[in-house]
């Protein structure tokens, strides 16, 4: 059985590509002449990262970090960043921001390594459930508090491979 059963595509694959292209254009404009470090928090952001990185035609280094943030527990690093971000223009590439705990944790850790700049890119933003005051610098779409899967996002690890983003109808 597919985990998307009973769900409907809310953002189609072609809409996603348009949104990602628009974000890439903004970043290219803002960072013209600069080199970037793109940090992808595993696992949900891998597809967004892969598309965005290819659309940004600027010199760039990519890296991955794996932070878990179980409900009611503090964030824990399973795989740390391996590039030196000191003096670099760093962008955290998040597929979705919900409570904001993961992002806030990651942001302060990276900030401690003295990057030249540190900004956050989010494909989707769910501000309704925010627990920590944190705003993405680039946002694809602001959405209601609805559980979504696909394009990297999962339901108990399944559904990350879907090209469209799905949610439940109400
Ligand atoms: P938070 O902002 O600390 O609550 O955590 C955000 C992370 O939770 C995201 O990077 C996703 O991995 C996951 N997440 C949040 N909302 C959803 C959703 O609707 N579907 C799938 N994963 C989600
Ligand atoms: Mg994520």
């Amino acid at each position: 059985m597919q985990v998307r059963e009973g769900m409907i595509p809310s953002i189609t694959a072609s809409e996603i590509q348009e949104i990602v292209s628009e974000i890439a254009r903004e970043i290219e404009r803002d960072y013209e002449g600069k080199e970037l470090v793109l940090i992808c928090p595993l696992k949900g952001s891998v597809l967004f990262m892969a598309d965005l990185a290819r659309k940004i035609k600027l010199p760039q280094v990519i890296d991955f970090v794996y932070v878990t943030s179980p409900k009611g527990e503090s964030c824990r690093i399973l795989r740390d960043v391996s590039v030196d971000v000191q003096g670099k223009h760093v962008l955290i590439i998040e597929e979705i921001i919900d409570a904001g705990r993961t992002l806030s944790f990651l942001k302060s850790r990276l900030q401690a390594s003295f990057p030249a700049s540190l900004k956050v890119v989010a494909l989707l933003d769910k501000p309704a459930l925010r627990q920590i005051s944190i705003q993405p610098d680039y946002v694809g779409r602001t959405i209601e508090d609805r559980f979504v899967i696909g394009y990297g996002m999962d339901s108990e690890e399944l559904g990350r491979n879907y090209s469209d983003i799905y949610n439940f109808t109400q």
Side-chain angles (χ1 to χ4, degrees):
M1 194 193 101
Q2 292 284 351
V3 71
R4 66 184 161 198
E5 215 155 282
M7 299 179 91
I8 53 155
S10 57
I11 311 178
T12 64
S14 64
E15 285 173 327
I16 293 169
Q17 291 309 314
E18 281 172 30
I19 294 169
V20 178
S21 297
E22 181 52 39
I23 296 174
R25 274 197 294 272
E26 277 183 56
I27 291 172
E28 283 177 344
R29 209 176 45 224
D30 294 351
Y31 290 86
E32 198 184 343
K34 299 198 170 91
E35 190 179 298
L36 298 173
V37 177
L38 307 183
I39 307 276
C40 171
L42 296 168
K43 302 175 193 174
S45 298
V46 281
L47 302 197
F48 180 36
M49 172 73 151
D51 286 338
L52 185 64
R54 281 178 291 181
K55 287 178 196 278
I56 299 174
K57 309 290 184 206
L58 290 174
Q60 58 182 266
V61 168
I62 65 168
D63 200 5
F64 299 86
V65 64
Y66 196 176
V67 180
T68 53
S69 50
K71 291 242 161 13
E73 289 175 42
S74 45
C75 296
R76 205 157 56 89
I77 295 191
L78 298 184
R79 194 244 180 229
D80 211 345
V81 171
S82 57
V83 295
D84 183 6
V85 301
Q86 186 173 353
K88 302 286 169 59
H89 294 285
V90 179
L91 289 167
I92 302 172
I93 312 299
E94 264 288 16
E95 85 287 12
I96 187 163
I97 308 175
D98 190 346
R101 292 169 58 223
T102 323
L103 186 59
S104 153
F105 174 80
L106 190 57
K107 220 180 156 183
S108 16
R109 265 194 73 98
L110 288 168
Q111 203 77 64
S113 302
F114 304 106
S117 66
L118 177 59
K119 287 193 174 178
V120 174
V121 185
L123 178 67
L124 302 179
D125 188 15
K126 278 204 277 196
L129 282 193
R130 200 75 98 247
Q131 292 170 359
I132 292 171
S133 162
I134 191 163
Q135 294 301 328
D137 300 281
Y138 301 89
V139 187
R141 280 230 181 135
T142 302
I143 60 166
E144 292 168 36
D145 170 27
R146 284 223 193 141
F147 186 70
V148 292
I149 60 163
Y151 198 63
M153 290 165 283
D154 70 306
S155 171
E156 295 180 358
E157 294 300 327
L158 291 170
R160 296 193 195 273
N161 57 314
Y162 302 151
S163 302
D164 303 307
I165 293 174
Y166 291 80
N167 66 210
F168 290 105
T169 45
Q170 279 177 339

